[in-house]
mmCIF file of all heavy atoms in Angstrom:
data_model
loop_
_atom_site.group_PDB
_atom_site.id
_atom_site.type_symbol
_atom_site.label_atom_id
_atom_site.label_comp_id
_atom_site.label_asym_id
_atom_site.label_seq_id
_atom_site.Cartn_x
_atom_site.Cartn_y
_atom_site.Cartn_z
ATOM 1 N N LEU A 430 46.607 -5.681 8.366
ATOM 2 C CA LEU A 430 45.334 -6.000 7.811
ATOM 3 C C LEU A 430 44.295 -6.137 8.934
ATOM 4 O O LEU A 430 43.207 -5.659 8.848
ATOM 5 C CB LEU A 430 45.408 -7.394 7.007
ATOM 6 C CG LEU A 430 44.122 -7.857 6.396
ATOM 7 C CD1 LEU A 430 43.409 -6.762 5.576
ATOM 8 C CD2 LEU A 430 44.271 -9.139 5.687
ATOM 9 N N MET A 431 44.667 -6.851 9.923
ATOM 10 C CA MET A 431 43.749 -7.067 11.039
ATOM 11 C C MET A 431 43.348 -5.761 11.745
ATOM 12 O O MET A 431 42.183 -5.515 12.146
ATOM 13 C CB MET A 431 44.409 -8.025 12.145
ATOM 14 C CG MET A 431 44.632 -9.457 11.551
ATOM 15 S SD MET A 431 43.221 -10.178 10.682
ATOM 16 C CE MET A 431 42.034 -10.319 12.101
ATOM 17 N N GLN A 432 44.313 -4.794 11.808
ATOM 18 C CA GLN A 432 43.965 -3.456 12.369
ATOM 19 C C GLN A 432 43.131 -2.800 11.472
ATOM 20 O O GLN A 432 42.169 -2.081 12.051
ATOM 21 C CB GLN A 432 45.391 -2.658 12.651
ATOM 22 C CG GLN A 432 45.114 -1.466 13.474
ATOM 23 C CD GLN A 432 44.775 -1.725 14.868
ATOM 24 O OE1 GLN A 432 45.189 -2.677 15.578
ATOM 25 N NE2 GLN A 432 43.801 -0.938 15.402
ATOM 26 N N SER A 433 43.316 -2.850 10.242
ATOM 27 C CA SER A 433 42.401 -2.166 9.275
ATOM 28 C C SER A 433 41.014 -2.669 9.384
ATOM 29 O O SER A 433 39.978 -1.828 9.299
ATOM 30 C CB SER A 433 42.811 -2.278 7.838
ATOM 31 O OG SER A 433 44.227 -1.704 7.695
ATOM 32 N N LEU A 434 40.785 -3.973 9.441
ATOM 33 C CA LEU A 434 39.459 -4.501 9.593
ATOM 34 C C LEU A 434 38.779 -4.044 10.860
ATOM 35 O O LEU A 434 37.585 -3.747 10.845
ATOM 36 C CB LEU A 434 39.635 -6.095 9.606
ATOM 37 C CG LEU A 434 39.934 -6.761 8.252
ATOM 38 C CD1 LEU A 434 40.141 -8.234 8.454
ATOM 39 C CD2 LEU A 434 38.862 -6.406 7.142
ATOM 40 N N LYS A 435 39.591 -3.978 11.903
ATOM 41 C CA LYS A 435 39.064 -3.504 13.181
ATOM 42 C C LYS A 435 38.672 -2.094 13.103
ATOM 43 O O LYS A 435 37.495 -1.705 13.591
ATOM 44 C CB LYS A 435 40.122 -3.711 14.302
ATOM 45 C CG LYS A 435 39.662 -3.271 15.659
ATOM 46 C CD LYS A 435 40.897 -3.455 16.539
ATOM 47 C CE LYS A 435 40.619 -2.745 17.815
ATOM 48 N NZ LYS A 435 41.761 -2.769 18.803
ATOM 49 N N ASN A 436 39.497 -1.258 12.434
ATOM 50 C CA ASN A 436 39.165 0.194 12.260
ATOM 51 C C ASN A 436 37.873 0.342 11.471
ATOM 52 O O ASN A 436 37.040 1.199 11.710
ATOM 53 C CB ASN A 436 40.252 0.953 11.670
ATOM 54 C CG ASN A 436 41.453 0.948 12.621
ATOM 55 O OD1 ASN A 436 41.237 0.901 13.852
ATOM 56 N ND2 ASN A 436 42.618 1.205 12.087
ATOM 57 N N ILE A 437 37.671 -0.443 10.378
ATOM 58 C CA ILE A 437 36.559 -0.352 9.517
ATOM 59 C C ILE A 437 35.224 -0.639 10.332
ATOM 60 O O ILE A 437 34.262 0.044 10.325
ATOM 61 C CB ILE A 437 36.644 -1.306 8.253
ATOM 62 C CG1 ILE A 437 37.766 -0.756 7.323
ATOM 63 C CG2 ILE A 437 35.282 -1.454 7.624
ATOM 64 C CD1 ILE A 437 38.125 -1.694 6.296
ATOM 65 N N THR A 438 35.265 -1.751 11.084
ATOM 66 C CA THR A 438 34.036 -2.080 11.752
ATOM 67 C C THR A 438 33.735 -0.992 12.919
ATOM 68 O O THR A 438 32.630 -0.720 13.161
ATOM 69 C CB THR A 438 34.108 -3.535 12.418
ATOM 70 O OG1 THR A 438 35.310 -3.605 13.276
ATOM 71 C CG2 THR A 438 34.259 -4.569 11.336
ATOM 72 N N ASN A 439 34.777 -0.612 13.555
ATOM 73 C CA ASN A 439 34.597 0.461 14.583
ATOM 74 C C ASN A 439 34.123 1.765 14.039
ATOM 75 O O ASN A 439 33.196 2.405 14.689
ATOM 76 C CB ASN A 439 35.875 0.697 15.303
ATOM 77 C CG ASN A 439 36.197 -0.474 16.234
ATOM 78 O OD1 ASN A 439 35.386 -1.384 16.542
ATOM 79 N ND2 ASN A 439 37.420 -0.523 16.737
ATOM 80 N N SER A 440 34.519 2.209 12.872
ATOM 81 C CA SER A 440 34.135 3.430 12.295
ATOM 82 C C SER A 440 32.732 3.352 11.644
ATOM 83 O O SER A 440 31.874 4.292 11.724
ATOM 84 C CB SER A 440 35.096 4.036 11.324
ATOM 85 O OG SER A 440 35.306 3.223 10.192
ATOM 86 N N ARG A 441 32.487 2.217 10.976
ATOM 87 C CA ARG A 441 31.182 2.079 10.184
ATOM 88 C C ARG A 441 30.050 1.482 11.097
ATOM 89 O O ARG A 441 28.919 1.834 10.857
ATOM 90 C CB ARG A 441 31.362 1.169 8.978
ATOM 91 C CG ARG A 441 32.298 1.785 7.982
ATOM 92 C CD ARG A 441 32.273 1.076 6.779
ATOM 93 N NE ARG A 441 33.085 1.711 5.717
ATOM 94 C CZ ARG A 441 32.841 1.744 4.440
ATOM 95 N NH1 ARG A 441 31.757 1.236 4.000
ATOM 96 N NH2 ARG A 441 33.629 2.323 3.680
ATOM 97 N N PHE A 442 30.382 0.639 11.992
ATOM 98 C CA PHE A 442 29.267 0.042 12.858
ATOM 99 C C PHE A 442 29.746 0.160 14.339
ATOM 100 O O PHE A 442 29.810 -0.859 14.976
ATOM 101 C CB PHE A 442 29.156 -1.445 12.466
ATOM 102 C CG PHE A 442 29.024 -1.589 10.893
ATOM 103 C CD1 PHE A 442 29.982 -1.997 10.112
ATOM 104 C CD2 PHE A 442 27.719 -1.406 10.374
ATOM 105 C CE1 PHE A 442 29.737 -2.258 8.827
ATOM 106 C CE2 PHE A 442 27.551 -1.511 9.014
ATOM 107 C CZ PHE A 442 28.567 -1.955 8.294
ATOM 108 N N PRO A 443 29.962 1.286 14.842
ATOM 109 C CA PRO A 443 30.375 1.391 16.245
ATOM 110 C C PRO A 443 29.279 0.858 17.218
ATOM 111 O O PRO A 443 28.182 1.266 17.190
ATOM 112 C CB PRO A 443 30.595 2.914 16.377
ATOM 113 C CG PRO A 443 29.714 3.506 15.449
ATOM 114 C CD PRO A 443 29.663 2.570 14.260
ATOM 115 N N GLY A 444 29.692 -0.108 18.023
ATOM 116 C CA GLY A 444 28.790 -0.659 18.944
ATOM 117 C C GLY A 444 27.770 -1.579 18.481
ATOM 118 O O GLY A 444 26.890 -2.091 19.235
ATOM 119 N N TYR A 445 27.738 -1.858 17.189
ATOM 120 C CA TYR A 445 26.720 -2.747 16.608
ATOM 121 C C TYR A 445 27.092 -4.172 16.423
ATOM 122 O O TYR A 445 26.276 -4.976 16.191
ATOM 123 C CB TYR A 445 26.244 -2.099 15.233
ATOM 124 C CG TYR A 445 25.400 -0.977 15.377
ATOM 125 C CD1 TYR A 445 25.983 0.277 15.346
ATOM 126 C CD2 TYR A 445 24.006 -1.085 15.419
ATOM 127 C CE1 TYR A 445 25.151 1.433 15.471
ATOM 128 C CE2 TYR A 445 23.178 -0.017 15.542
ATOM 129 C CZ TYR A 445 23.788 1.252 15.558
ATOM 130 O OH TYR A 445 22.940 2.298 15.662
ATOM 131 N N ILE A 446 28.343 -4.505 16.472
ATOM 132 C CA ILE A 446 28.773 -5.856 16.305
ATOM 133 C C ILE A 446 28.529 -6.706 17.530
ATOM 134 O O ILE A 446 29.164 -6.559 18.563
ATOM 135 C CB ILE A 446 30.314 -6.039 15.963
ATOM 136 C CG1 ILE A 446 30.671 -5.051 14.746
ATOM 137 C CG2 ILE A 446 30.644 -7.402 15.642
ATOM 138 C CD1 ILE A 446 29.930 -5.385 13.468
ATOM 139 N N GLY A 447 27.513 -7.543 17.481
ATOM 140 C CA GLY A 447 27.091 -8.377 18.681
ATOM 141 C C GLY A 447 27.816 -9.623 18.710
ATOM 142 O O GLY A 447 28.371 -9.949 19.811
ATOM 143 N N SER A 448 28.129 -10.212 17.669
ATOM 144 C CA SER A 448 28.900 -11.536 17.607
ATOM 145 C C SER A 448 29.468 -11.786 16.201
ATOM 146 O O SER A 448 28.922 -11.311 15.302
ATOM 147 C CB SER A 448 28.007 -12.688 18.127
ATOM 148 O OG SER A 448 26.763 -12.729 17.331
ATOM 149 N N VAL A 449 30.533 -12.490 16.243
ATOM 150 C CA VAL A 449 31.249 -12.824 15.052
ATOM 151 C C VAL A 449 31.336 -14.441 15.049
ATOM 152 O O VAL A 449 31.922 -14.909 16.032
ATOM 153 C CB VAL A 449 32.515 -12.277 14.881
ATOM 154 C CG1 VAL A 449 33.301 -12.813 13.669
ATOM 155 C CG2 VAL A 449 32.456 -10.756 14.815
ATOM 156 N N TYR A 450 30.788 -15.098 14.018
ATOM 157 C CA TYR A 450 30.836 -16.542 14.047
ATOM 158 C C TYR A 450 31.858 -16.935 12.911
ATOM 159 O O TYR A 450 31.638 -16.551 11.712
ATOM 160 C CB TYR A 450 29.491 -17.198 13.719
ATOM 161 C CG TYR A 450 28.504 -16.892 14.848
ATOM 162 C CD1 TYR A 450 27.540 -15.943 14.693
ATOM 163 C CD2 TYR A 450 28.559 -17.573 16.116
ATOM 164 C CE1 TYR A 450 26.577 -15.693 15.726
ATOM 165 C CE2 TYR A 450 27.729 -17.308 17.106
ATOM 166 C CZ TYR A 450 26.706 -16.354 16.964
ATOM 167 O OH TYR A 450 25.883 -16.024 17.931
ATOM 168 N N ILE A 451 32.856 -17.700 13.139
ATOM 169 C CA ILE A 451 33.763 -18.177 12.209
ATOM 170 C C ILE A 451 33.548 -19.598 11.939
ATOM 171 O O ILE A 451 33.562 -20.381 12.836
ATOM 172 C CB ILE A 451 35.209 -17.828 12.494
ATOM 173 C CG1 ILE A 451 35.395 -16.318 12.812
ATOM 174 C CG2 ILE A 451 36.191 -18.389 11.469
ATOM 175 C CD1 ILE A 451 36.780 -15.919 13.299
ATOM 176 N N VAL A 452 33.159 -19.933 10.665
ATOM 177 C CA VAL A 452 32.689 -21.316 10.355
ATOM 178 C C VAL A 452 33.854 -21.899 9.488
ATOM 179 O O VAL A 452 34.515 -21.317 8.685
ATOM 180 C CB VAL A 452 31.389 -21.354 9.479
ATOM 181 C CG1 VAL A 452 30.899 -22.693 9.236
ATOM 182 C CG2 VAL A 452 30.345 -20.477 10.310
ATOM 183 N N ASN A 453 34.079 -23.260 9.730
ATOM 184 C CA ASN A 453 35.064 -24.011 8.926
ATOM 185 C C ASN A 453 36.499 -23.559 9.315
ATOM 186 O O ASN A 453 37.283 -23.520 8.394
ATOM 187 C CB ASN A 453 34.791 -23.992 7.443
ATOM 188 C CG ASN A 453 33.482 -24.665 7.109
ATOM 189 O OD1 ASN A 453 33.069 -25.739 7.581
ATOM 190 N ND2 ASN A 453 32.603 -24.018 6.347
ATOM 191 N N PHE A 454 36.754 -23.264 10.545
ATOM 192 C CA PHE A 454 38.065 -22.971 10.972
ATOM 193 C C PHE A 454 38.955 -24.165 11.166
ATOM 194 O O PHE A 454 38.657 -24.989 11.985
ATOM 195 C CB PHE A 454 37.929 -22.106 12.255
ATOM 196 C CG PHE A 454 39.234 -21.609 12.834
ATOM 197 C CD1 PHE A 454 39.726 -20.395 12.401
ATOM 198 C CD2 PHE A 454 39.806 -22.212 13.811
ATOM 199 C CE1 PHE A 454 40.860 -19.884 12.882
ATOM 200 C CE2 PHE A 454 41.109 -21.644 14.324
ATOM 201 C CZ PHE A 454 41.550 -20.505 13.945
ATOM 202 N N GLY A 455 39.987 -24.306 10.418
ATOM 203 C CA GLY A 455 40.842 -25.451 10.439
ATOM 204 C C GLY A 455 42.142 -25.106 11.134
ATOM 205 O O GLY A 455 42.440 -23.959 11.570
ATOM 206 N N TRP A 456 42.896 -26.166 11.502
ATOM 207 C CA TRP A 456 44.140 -25.962 12.231
ATOM 208 C C TRP A 456 45.077 -25.060 11.584
ATOM 209 O O TRP A 456 45.922 -24.432 12.210
ATOM 210 C CB TRP A 456 44.774 -27.309 12.551
ATOM 211 C CG TRP A 456 45.179 -27.997 11.270
ATOM 212 C CD1 TRP A 456 44.448 -28.855 10.444
ATOM 213 C CD2 TRP A 456 46.405 -27.821 10.581
ATOM 214 N NE1 TRP A 456 45.132 -29.272 9.430
ATOM 215 C CE2 TRP A 456 46.400 -28.668 9.434
ATOM 216 C CE3 TRP A 456 47.528 -27.065 10.778
ATOM 217 C CZ2 TRP A 456 47.440 -28.698 8.430
ATOM 218 C CZ3 TRP A 456 48.608 -27.058 9.900
ATOM 219 C CH2 TRP A 456 48.428 -27.996 8.772
ATOM 220 N N MET A 457 45.075 -24.947 10.283
ATOM 221 C CA MET A 457 46.050 -24.165 9.565
ATOM 222 C C MET A 457 45.787 -22.669 9.759
ATOM 223 O O MET A 457 46.658 -21.865 9.409
ATOM 224 C CB MET A 457 45.976 -24.459 8.063
ATOM 225 C CG MET A 457 44.724 -24.257 7.339
ATOM 226 S SD MET A 457 43.634 -25.602 7.689
ATOM 227 C CE MET A 457 42.759 -25.728 6.270
ATOM 228 N N TYR A 458 44.651 -22.248 10.329
ATOM 229 C CA TYR A 458 44.402 -20.847 10.602
ATOM 230 C C TYR A 458 44.778 -20.429 12.032
ATOM 231 O O TYR A 458 44.557 -19.243 12.363
ATOM 232 C CB TYR A 458 42.968 -20.470 10.301
ATOM 233 C CG TYR A 458 42.517 -20.783 8.898
ATOM 234 C CD1 TYR A 458 41.784 -21.898 8.621
ATOM 235 C CD2 TYR A 458 42.987 -19.849 7.904
ATOM 236 C CE1 TYR A 458 41.436 -22.110 7.244
ATOM 237 C CE2 TYR A 458 42.601 -20.106 6.540
ATOM 238 C CZ TYR A 458 41.815 -21.287 6.283
ATOM 239 O OH TYR A 458 41.432 -21.409 4.895
ATOM 240 N N GLN A 459 45.263 -21.321 12.794
ATOM 241 C CA GLN A 459 45.720 -21.082 14.154
ATOM 242 C C GLN A 459 46.655 -19.891 14.215
ATOM 243 O O GLN A 459 46.523 -19.076 15.134
ATOM 244 C CB GLN A 459 46.245 -22.231 14.854
ATOM 245 C CG GLN A 459 45.234 -23.307 15.297
ATOM 246 C CD GLN A 459 44.225 -22.849 16.319
ATOM 247 O OE1 GLN A 459 44.562 -22.041 17.112
ATOM 248 N NE2 GLN A 459 43.054 -23.422 16.230
ATOM 249 N N GLY A 460 47.582 -19.903 13.328
ATOM 250 C CA GLY A 460 48.638 -18.821 13.390
ATOM 251 C C GLY A 460 47.997 -17.390 13.107
ATOM 252 O O GLY A 460 48.360 -16.425 13.785
ATOM 253 N N ILE A 461 46.998 -17.354 12.199
ATOM 254 C CA ILE A 461 46.298 -16.087 12.024
ATOM 255 C C ILE A 461 45.593 -15.637 13.120
ATOM 256 O O ILE A 461 45.592 -14.508 13.566
ATOM 257 C CB ILE A 461 45.332 -16.283 10.763
ATOM 258 C CG1 ILE A 461 46.160 -16.535 9.490
ATOM 259 C CG2 ILE A 461 44.521 -15.053 10.538
ATOM 260 C CD1 ILE A 461 45.362 -16.959 8.250
ATOM 261 N N TRP A 462 44.865 -16.571 13.890
ATOM 262 C CA TRP A 462 44.135 -16.289 15.030
ATOM 263 C C TRP A 462 45.115 -15.722 16.113
ATOM 264 O O TRP A 462 44.800 -14.799 16.869
ATOM 265 C CB TRP A 462 43.300 -17.485 15.531
ATOM 266 C CG TRP A 462 42.641 -17.157 16.812
ATOM 267 C CD1 TRP A 462 42.780 -17.899 18.012
ATOM 268 C CD2 TRP A 462 41.726 -16.091 17.233
ATOM 269 N NE1 TRP A 462 42.103 -17.412 19.048
ATOM 270 C CE2 TRP A 462 41.361 -16.280 18.551
ATOM 271 C CE3 TRP A 462 41.200 -15.073 16.474
ATOM 272 C CZ2 TRP A 462 40.442 -15.359 19.181
ATOM 273 C CZ3 TRP A 462 40.325 -14.203 17.094
ATOM 274 C CH2 TRP A 462 40.004 -14.452 18.381
ATOM 275 N N GLN A 463 46.264 -16.336 16.257
ATOM 276 C CA GLN A 463 47.225 -15.886 17.227
ATOM 277 C C GLN A 463 47.638 -14.435 17.136
ATOM 278 O O GLN A 463 47.823 -13.673 18.069
ATOM 279 C CB GLN A 463 48.490 -16.786 17.311
ATOM 280 C CG GLN A 463 48.141 -18.213 17.640
ATOM 281 C CD GLN A 463 47.585 -18.371 19.079
ATOM 282 O OE1 GLN A 463 47.914 -17.731 19.973
ATOM 283 N NE2 GLN A 463 46.558 -19.272 19.111
ATOM 284 N N VAL A 464 47.856 -14.026 15.776
ATOM 285 C CA VAL A 464 48.090 -12.579 15.481
ATOM 286 C C VAL A 464 46.843 -11.763 15.679
ATOM 287 O O VAL A 464 46.982 -10.719 16.412
ATOM 288 C CB VAL A 464 48.614 -12.469 14.033
ATOM 289 C CG1 VAL A 464 48.752 -11.067 13.709
ATOM 290 C CG2 VAL A 464 49.974 -13.219 13.860
ATOM 291 N N ALA A 465 45.730 -12.213 15.249
ATOM 292 C CA ALA A 465 44.516 -11.435 15.321
ATOM 293 C C ALA A 465 44.086 -11.101 16.833
ATOM 294 O O ALA A 465 43.689 -9.977 17.137
ATOM 295 C CB ALA A 465 43.330 -12.102 14.630
ATOM 296 N N LYS A 466 44.233 -12.118 17.659
ATOM 297 C CA LYS A 466 43.773 -11.887 18.979
ATOM 298 C C LYS A 466 44.564 -11.024 19.805
ATOM 299 O O LYS A 466 44.193 -10.353 20.808
ATOM 300 C CB LYS A 466 43.565 -13.206 19.739
ATOM 301 C CG LYS A 466 44.745 -13.998 20.122
ATOM 302 C CD LYS A 466 44.363 -15.202 20.778
ATOM 303 C CE LYS A 466 45.599 -16.043 21.352
ATOM 304 N NZ LYS A 466 45.116 -17.229 22.063
ATOM 305 N N LEU A 467 45.887 -10.733 19.415
ATOM 306 C CA LEU A 467 46.793 -9.712 20.084
ATOM 307 C C LEU A 467 46.246 -8.333 19.791
ATOM 308 O O LEU A 467 46.474 -7.487 20.660
ATOM 309 C CB LEU A 467 48.193 -9.859 19.575
ATOM 310 C CG LEU A 467 48.953 -11.143 19.884
ATOM 311 C CD1 LEU A 467 50.230 -11.180 19.140
ATOM 312 C CD2 LEU A 467 49.021 -11.326 21.346
ATOM 313 N N LEU A 468 45.435 -8.157 18.850
ATOM 314 C CA LEU A 468 44.964 -6.737 18.522
ATOM 315 C C LEU A 468 43.600 -6.543 19.035
ATOM 316 O O LEU A 468 43.042 -5.420 18.933
ATOM 317 C CB LEU A 468 44.945 -6.593 16.934
ATOM 318 C CG LEU A 468 46.271 -6.790 16.154
ATOM 319 C CD1 LEU A 468 46.071 -6.791 14.805
ATOM 320 C CD2 LEU A 468 47.181 -5.745 16.642
ATOM 321 N N LEU A 469 42.945 -7.556 19.663
ATOM 322 C CA LEU A 469 41.599 -7.386 20.148
ATOM 323 C C LEU A 469 41.550 -7.258 21.708
ATOM 324 O O LEU A 469 42.362 -7.811 22.356
ATOM 325 C CB LEU A 469 40.809 -8.548 19.685
ATOM 326 C CG LEU A 469 40.714 -8.765 18.217
ATOM 327 C CD1 LEU A 469 39.981 -10.184 17.979
ATOM 328 C CD2 LEU A 469 39.949 -7.750 17.572
#
């Protein structure tokens, strides 16, 4: 899923993503972030 999201943003908005702000990030999402950052 994370790879698909990355491919969508790269194909539709190449070079346009300046910043991504994640709001209300709780401790329970730490595992998801650990997986996601391996792909970035």
Side-chain angles (χ1 to χ4, degrees):
L430 175 60
M431 298 308 296
Q432 190 65 41
S433 295
L434 289 172
K435 181 180 166 187
N436 290 339
I437 290 169
T438 57
N439 287 343
S440 64
R441 292 186 181 221
F442 308 104
Y445 284 90
I446 307 299
S448 52
V449 177
Y450 299 102
I451 301 177
V452 184
N453 297 313
F454 183 81
W456 63 267
M457 61 281 217
Y458 298 106
Q459 285 295 333
I461 295 169
W462 174 240
Q463 295 304 318
V464 172
K466 72 181 184 179
L467 294 174
L468 303 170
L469 300 173

